């Protein structure tokens, strides 16, 4: 066969029999990797500009390539581009169409590169773009959390340990805990972006290229901070995608925790919050139901993102240098992690402002749980009692209050004095006093919650 006459495959020259349909289907990735088309074309145009600048192709070739690619872009955007599984992947589909539009210049585009450094570049661009999108959404969600944290800065609710009433906290403080988790999530994405944003192109198939390429120029055109230093590493490792999925898995874990709390708080036994109706669904047979489906789904979707992280770690382990086709399997986990995280962020950005605190219910739960027991112990310590003794004394008082069906703060001074003569007129046992006492950076006092909101907004 002479050049150009071979089968649809650009690499079929050395083959004597066609690929079976089953193998074609098994090896093709275009059904899912067409999603990389913008990154693929951006990278190809940068590569072509470099080739022309280095006089590896002519200025006329570059012009043809740019004109042809503009046509390809408009066809894809219009939805009339024909993606063919016969052409295996996004790279070959685009290159083939370009060639059919502009002829030889299209065939020269692949000079000095390989699909191995091409796909590694596309994936890095894709992960980088996705991180930028996720960071913008995270920012919006954090603002929404700050808004209700500010509104509920002085709203008391029981703080739990072991899911048992422990001490009073403010709802604002509770929400700021999630704000902090998401701040760290953002930092992880920023950190991952730094290592992702290095250029593989120029590594070619694995060993580099014999053409006088200018890799730094390509890096600059594509907004990369630098080059992948080693060609073998550049075409083979997908650690950046793994890190990205790890950041997504952690973010989803935090969403799952928040979701679990929303579900609990929606349960009438808690009744701490209501969610706007548009984020809940009813039951087909039980007319009374209002189910927090969005939160439940976010909790459930966490699992698939963990799965993607595991898939990528397993995909990479045991691969010898350099590129192996295994790496084609990196796409779907990354894409689904992006979709899941992006959709979850979007839905929470809308849902969080629709959280209404039921302050009365929160308060009632606090009044039932002896939440000020630690404050009574601290008071006795202030009067000179060693903490361990104070702890025991208050334990006895709690037992008595329980027998009487009362809260600690409802016991009279006389009753409390039966447990310790140190109890005096100056004892103030109230939720408000308990909150106000925790008045240091990181504490739950309303004043501190407002200060924390303020610091977060200024950041
Ligand atoms: N579709 C391939 C991938 O996603 C592109 C690289 C293929 N390279 C190769 N030599 N077969 O990894």
């Amino acid at each position: 066969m002479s050049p150009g006459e071979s089968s649809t495959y650009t690499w079929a020259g050395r083959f004597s029999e066609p690929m079976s349909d089953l193998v074609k289907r098994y090896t093709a990735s275009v059904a899912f990797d067409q999603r990389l088309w913008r990154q693929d074309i951006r990278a190809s145009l940068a590569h072509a500009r470099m080739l022309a600048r280095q006089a590896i192709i002519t200025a006329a070739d570059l012009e043809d390539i740019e004109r042809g690619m503009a046509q390809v872009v408009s066809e894809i955007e219009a939805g009339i581009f024909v993606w063919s599984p016969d052409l295996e992947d996004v790279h070959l589909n685009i290159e083939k169409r370009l060639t059919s539009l502009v002829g030889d210049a299209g065939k020269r585009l692949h000079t000095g590169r390989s699909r191995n450094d091409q796909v590694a570049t596309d994936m890095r661009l894709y992960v980088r773009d996705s991180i930028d999108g996720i960071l913008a959404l995270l920012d919006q969600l954090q603002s929404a959390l700050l808004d209700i944290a500010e509104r509920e800065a002085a709203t008391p609710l029981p703080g739990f340990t072991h899911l048992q009433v422990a001490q009073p906290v403010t709802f604002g403080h509770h929400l700021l805990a999630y704000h902090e988790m998401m701040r760290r999530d953002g930092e992880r994405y920023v950190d991952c972006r730094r290592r992702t944003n290095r250029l593989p192109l120029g590594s070619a198939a694995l060993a580099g290229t014999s053409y006088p390429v200018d890799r730094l120029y390509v890096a600059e055109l594509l907004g990369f901070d630098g080059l992948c230093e080693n060609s073998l590493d550049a075409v083979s490792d997908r650690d950046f995608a793994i890190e990205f999925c790890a950041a997504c898995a952690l973010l989803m874990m935090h969403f799952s925790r928040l979701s679990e709390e929303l579900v609990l708080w929606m349960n009438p036994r808690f009744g701490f919050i209501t969610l706007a109706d548009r984020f809940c669904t009813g039951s087909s047979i039980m007319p009374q139901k209002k189910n927090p489906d969005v939160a439940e789904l976010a909790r459930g979707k966490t699992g698939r993102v963990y799965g993607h992280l595991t898939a990528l770690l397993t995909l990479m382990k045991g691969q010898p240098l350099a590129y192996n086709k295994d790496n084609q399997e990196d796409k779907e986990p990354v894409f689904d992690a992006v979709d899941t995280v992006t959709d979850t962020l979007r839905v929470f950005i809308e849902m969080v402002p629709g959280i209404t605190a039921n302050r009365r219910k929160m308060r009632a739960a606090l009044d039932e749980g002896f939440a000020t027991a630690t404050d009574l112990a601290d008071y006795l310590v202030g009067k000179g009692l060693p903490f361990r003794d104070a702890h025991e004394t208050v334990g006895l008082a709690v037992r008595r209050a329980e027998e009487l069906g009362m809260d600690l703060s409802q016991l009279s001074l006389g009753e409390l004095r039966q447990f310790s003569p140190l109890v005096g007129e100056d004892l103030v046992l109230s939720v408000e006093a308990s909150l106000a006492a925790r008045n240091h950076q990181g504490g739950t006092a309303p004043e501190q919650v407002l200060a924390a909101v303020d610091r977060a907004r200024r950041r």
Side-chain angles (χ1 to χ4, degrees), residues 108-420:
R108 292 199 178 99
L109 172 62
H110 211 52
T111 314
R113 78 172 181 186
S114 146
R115 272 187 297 156
N116 297 350
D117 58 346
Q118 186 178 358
V119 72
T121 302
D122 291 2
M123 280 304 280
R124 281 176 185 263
L125 286 172
Y126 185 86
V127 168
R128 186 184 82 186
D129 292 348
S130 302
I131 288 175
D132 292 343
I134 289 169
L135 284 174
L137 291 171
L138 254 178
D139 211 55
Q140 287 182 44
L141 178 60
Q142 285 181 288
S143 303
L145 284 171
L146 290 180
D147 289 344
I148 23 175
E150 183 176 42
R151 190 182 73 206
E152 307 295 340
T155 306
L157 86 164
F160 294 122
T161 59
H162 313 271
L163 206 58
Q164 309 293 319
V165 173
Q167 291 174 356
V169 295
T170 61
F171 192 37
H173 193 58
H174 195 112
L175 292 169
L176 285 184
Y178 287 100
H179 182 275
E180 278 300 294
M181 296 176 218
M182 289 181 181
R183 176 147 81 107
R184 291 193 299 278
D185 289 322
E187 287 171 2
R188 266 184 284 275
Y189 281 114
V190 169
D191 195 45
C192 166
R193 190 189 193 284
R194 270 192 322 115
R195 277 179 295 277
T196 301
N197 204 27
R198 312 234 147 234
L199 176 77
L201 272 180
S203 304
L206 75 165
T209 171
S210 55
Y211 295 93
V213 294
D214 181 350
R215 298 186 65 204
L216 281 173
Y217 179 62
V218 178
E220 191 191 313
L221 289 176
L222 292 174
F224 282 105
D225 296 325
L227 307 179
C228 294
E229 278 285 337
N230 179 288
S231 62
L232 296 166
D233 172 49
V235 295
S236 64
D237 207 341
R238 295 291 182 267
D239 57 356
F240 65 93
I242 298 175
E243 271 191 61
F244 172 75
C245 275
C248 291
L250 283 164
L251 172 59
M252 289 304 295
M253 180 271 289
H254 289 149
F255 268 127
S256 183
R257 296 186 66 190
L258 176 57
S259 297
E260 172 68 10
E261 300 219 87
L262 295 177
V263 171
L264 280 176
W265 294 340
M266 281 281 286
N267 179 299
R269 292 290 167 105
F270 281 80
F272 287 180
I273 61 161
T274 51
L275 284 177
D277 281 355
R278 62 184 183 285
F279 301 105
C280 300
T281 61
S283 155
S284 50
I285 61 163
M286 296 167 282
Q288 84 283 11
K289 296 271 275 185
K290 181 172 162 184
N291 298 328
D293 288 40
V294 166
E296 292 168 64
L297 265 176
R299 192 176 57 188
K301 282 175 187 286
T302 303
R304 66 199 285 161
V305 178
Y306 289 6
H308 299 326
L309 172 60
T310 306
L312 289 186
L313 283 165
T314 314
L315 165 72
M316 204 66 240
K317 102 179 246 304
Q319 274 195 51
L321 285 173
Y323 176 85
N324 302 281
K325 187 81 167 184
D326 311 41
N327 282 345
Q328 181 163 290
E329 287 288 307
D330 67 348
K331 314 273 169 334
E332 288 162 295
V334 168
F335 294 160
D336 190 74
V338 170
D339 288 343
T340 306
V341 162
T342 303
D343 285 350
T344 305
L345 278 163
R346 288 210 181 106
V347 82
F348 270 76
I349 287 168
E350 285 189 32
M351 186 166 72
V352 162
I355 296 175
T356 310
N358 187 343
R359 296 176 184 168
R360 200 179 43 78
K361 281 276 211 173
M362 289 180 178
R363 184 64 197 227
L366 249 182
D367 290 339
E368 275 168 18
F370 306 103
T372 53
T374 315
D375 298 286
L376 178 55
D378 289 344
Y379 170 86
L380 295 174
V381 168
K383 297 285 174 182
L385 199 61
F387 182 78
R388 283 294 162 218
D389 294 339
H391 184 284
E392 195 185 341
T393 303
V394 177
L396 294 170
V398 165
R399 199 204 289 179
R400 177 78 187 127
E402 209 165 24
E403 281 163 11
L404 297 171
M406 289 174 151
D407 186 58
L408 267 186
S409 58
Q410 292 170 311
L411 292 182
S412 67
L413 269 188
E415 274 165 322
L416 285 172
R417 277 207 188 105
Q418 290 173 3
F419 298 97
S420 170

Side-chain angles (χ1 to χ4, degrees), residues 34-49:
Q34 55 179 272
R35 187 162 163 167
L36 292 171
W37 70 269
R38 280 187 196 281
Q39 287 76 16
D40 194 64
I41 291 176
R42 220 193 298 163
S44 284
L45 288 173
H47 179 67
R49 280 173 69 181

